[in-house]
mmCIF file of all heavy atoms in Angstrom:
data_model
loop_
_atom_site.group_PDB
_atom_site.id
_atom_site.type_symbol
_atom_site.label_atom_id
_atom_site.label_comp_id
_atom_site.label_asym_id
_atom_site.label_seq_id
_atom_site.Cartn_x
_atom_site.Cartn_y
_atom_site.Cartn_z
ATOM 1 N N GLY A 195 10.290 -29.885 3.308
ATOM 2 C CA GLY A 195 9.331 -29.989 2.238
ATOM 3 C C GLY A 195 8.644 -28.664 1.927
ATOM 4 O O GLY A 195 8.515 -27.805 2.808
ATOM 5 N N HIS A 196 8.248 -28.511 0.661
ATOM 6 C CA HIS A 196 7.546 -27.282 0.268
ATOM 7 C C HIS A 196 6.771 -27.590 -1.035
ATOM 8 O O HIS A 196 7.277 -28.306 -1.897
ATOM 9 C CB HIS A 196 8.565 -26.136 0.013
ATOM 10 C CG HIS A 196 7.907 -24.790 -0.003
ATOM 11 N ND1 HIS A 196 7.212 -24.302 -1.086
ATOM 12 C CD2 HIS A 196 7.829 -23.843 0.953
ATOM 13 C CE1 HIS A 196 6.759 -23.100 -0.833
ATOM 14 N NE2 HIS A 196 7.103 -22.787 0.404
ATOM 15 N N ARG A 197 5.602 -27.012 -1.129
ATOM 16 C CA ARG A 197 4.772 -27.277 -2.309
ATOM 17 C C ARG A 197 5.391 -26.670 -3.612
ATOM 18 O O ARG A 197 5.025 -27.115 -4.722
ATOM 19 C CB ARG A 197 3.365 -26.729 -2.096
ATOM 20 C CG ARG A 197 2.577 -27.504 -1.067
ATOM 21 C CD ARG A 197 1.172 -26.981 -0.925
ATOM 22 N NE ARG A 197 0.373 -27.200 -2.115
ATOM 23 C CZ ARG A 197 -0.866 -26.819 -2.230
ATOM 24 N NH1 ARG A 197 -1.480 -26.205 -1.247
ATOM 25 N NH2 ARG A 197 -1.552 -27.062 -3.348
ATOM 26 N N VAL A 198 6.233 -25.660 -3.463
ATOM 27 C CA VAL A 198 6.826 -25.046 -4.643
ATOM 28 C C VAL A 198 8.196 -25.681 -4.941
ATOM 29 O O VAL A 198 8.504 -26.027 -6.084
ATOM 30 C CB VAL A 198 6.995 -23.523 -4.421
ATOM 31 C CG1 VAL A 198 7.795 -22.860 -5.578
ATOM 32 C CG2 VAL A 198 5.636 -22.856 -4.278
ATOM 33 N N TYR A 199 9.064 -25.823 -3.908
ATOM 34 C CA TYR A 199 10.388 -26.317 -4.111
ATOM 35 C C TYR A 199 10.424 -27.840 -3.979
ATOM 36 O O TYR A 199 10.021 -28.378 -2.953
ATOM 37 C CB TYR A 199 11.348 -25.724 -3.070
ATOM 38 C CG TYR A 199 11.419 -24.235 -3.185
ATOM 39 C CD1 TYR A 199 10.897 -23.416 -2.131
ATOM 40 C CD2 TYR A 199 11.989 -23.618 -4.291
ATOM 41 C CE1 TYR A 199 10.967 -22.027 -2.250
ATOM 42 C CE2 TYR A 199 12.076 -22.191 -4.343
ATOM 43 C CZ TYR A 199 11.531 -21.446 -3.329
ATOM 44 O OH TYR A 199 11.583 -20.076 -3.409
ATOM 45 N N LYS A 200 10.897 -28.503 -5.035
ATOM 46 C CA LYS A 200 11.045 -29.926 -5.035
ATOM 47 C C LYS A 200 12.538 -30.320 -4.900
ATOM 48 O O LYS A 200 12.923 -31.447 -5.234
ATOM 49 C CB LYS A 200 10.418 -30.556 -6.278
ATOM 50 C CG LYS A 200 8.932 -30.278 -6.422
ATOM 51 C CD LYS A 200 8.150 -30.649 -5.132
ATOM 52 C CE LYS A 200 6.670 -30.297 -5.231
ATOM 53 N NZ LYS A 200 5.966 -30.562 -3.965
ATOM 54 N N ASN A 201 13.324 -29.381 -4.478
ATOM 55 C CA ASN A 201 14.698 -29.629 -4.120
ATOM 56 C C ASN A 201 15.003 -28.706 -2.922
ATOM 57 O O ASN A 201 14.086 -28.244 -2.287
ATOM 58 C CB ASN A 201 15.650 -29.373 -5.330
ATOM 59 C CG ASN A 201 15.392 -28.000 -5.940
ATOM 60 O OD1 ASN A 201 14.908 -27.101 -5.297
ATOM 61 N ND2 ASN A 201 15.697 -27.917 -7.220
ATOM 62 N N TYR A 202 16.249 -28.476 -2.658
ATOM 63 C CA TYR A 202 16.631 -27.699 -1.476
ATOM 64 C C TYR A 202 16.107 -26.223 -1.617
ATOM 65 O O TYR A 202 16.447 -25.570 -2.576
ATOM 66 C CB TYR A 202 18.157 -27.687 -1.292
ATOM 67 C CG TYR A 202 18.597 -27.383 0.113
ATOM 68 C CD1 TYR A 202 18.992 -28.398 0.994
ATOM 69 C CD2 TYR A 202 18.624 -26.067 0.568
ATOM 70 C CE1 TYR A 202 19.454 -28.125 2.264
ATOM 71 C CE2 TYR A 202 19.084 -25.772 1.866
ATOM 72 C CZ TYR A 202 19.500 -26.813 2.701
ATOM 73 O OH TYR A 202 19.895 -26.519 3.968
ATOM 74 N N ASP A 203 15.302 -25.802 -0.699
ATOM 75 C CA ASP A 203 14.757 -24.452 -0.719
ATOM 76 C C ASP A 203 15.909 -23.445 -0.629
ATOM 77 O O ASP A 203 16.651 -23.433 0.381
ATOM 78 C CB ASP A 203 13.843 -24.269 0.501
ATOM 79 C CG ASP A 203 13.114 -22.916 0.548
ATOM 80 O OD1 ASP A 203 13.609 -21.968 -0.103
ATOM 81 O OD2 ASP A 203 12.116 -22.788 1.273
ATOM 82 N N PRO A 204 16.143 -22.615 -1.651
ATOM 83 C CA PRO A 204 17.307 -21.697 -1.609
ATOM 84 C C PRO A 204 17.275 -20.725 -0.413
ATOM 85 O O PRO A 204 18.295 -20.274 0.051
ATOM 86 C CB PRO A 204 17.166 -20.930 -2.930
ATOM 87 C CG PRO A 204 15.775 -21.086 -3.346
ATOM 88 C CD PRO A 204 15.340 -22.443 -2.862
ATOM 89 N N ARG A 205 16.086 -20.447 0.083
ATOM 90 C CA ARG A 205 15.952 -19.572 1.242
ATOM 91 C C ARG A 205 16.500 -20.228 2.515
ATOM 92 O O ARG A 205 16.975 -19.539 3.415
ATOM 93 C CB ARG A 205 14.511 -19.161 1.431
ATOM 94 C CG ARG A 205 13.872 -18.445 0.244
ATOM 95 C CD ARG A 205 12.375 -18.247 0.457
ATOM 96 N NE ARG A 205 11.692 -19.531 0.630
ATOM 97 C CZ ARG A 205 10.476 -19.672 1.087
ATOM 98 N NH1 ARG A 205 9.766 -18.592 1.402
ATOM 99 N NH2 ARG A 205 9.902 -20.840 1.222
ATOM 100 N N ALA A 206 16.436 -21.550 2.563
ATOM 101 C CA ALA A 206 16.917 -22.272 3.741
ATOM 102 C C ALA A 206 18.423 -22.088 3.885
ATOM 103 O O ALA A 206 18.931 -21.991 5.043
ATOM 104 C CB ALA A 206 16.566 -23.759 3.658
#
Side-chain angles (χ1 to χ4, degrees):
H196 197 281
R197 289 183 67 181
V198 173
Y199 300 111
K200 299 308 177 185
N201 49 28
Y202 202 101
D203 184 341
R205 301 172 301 166

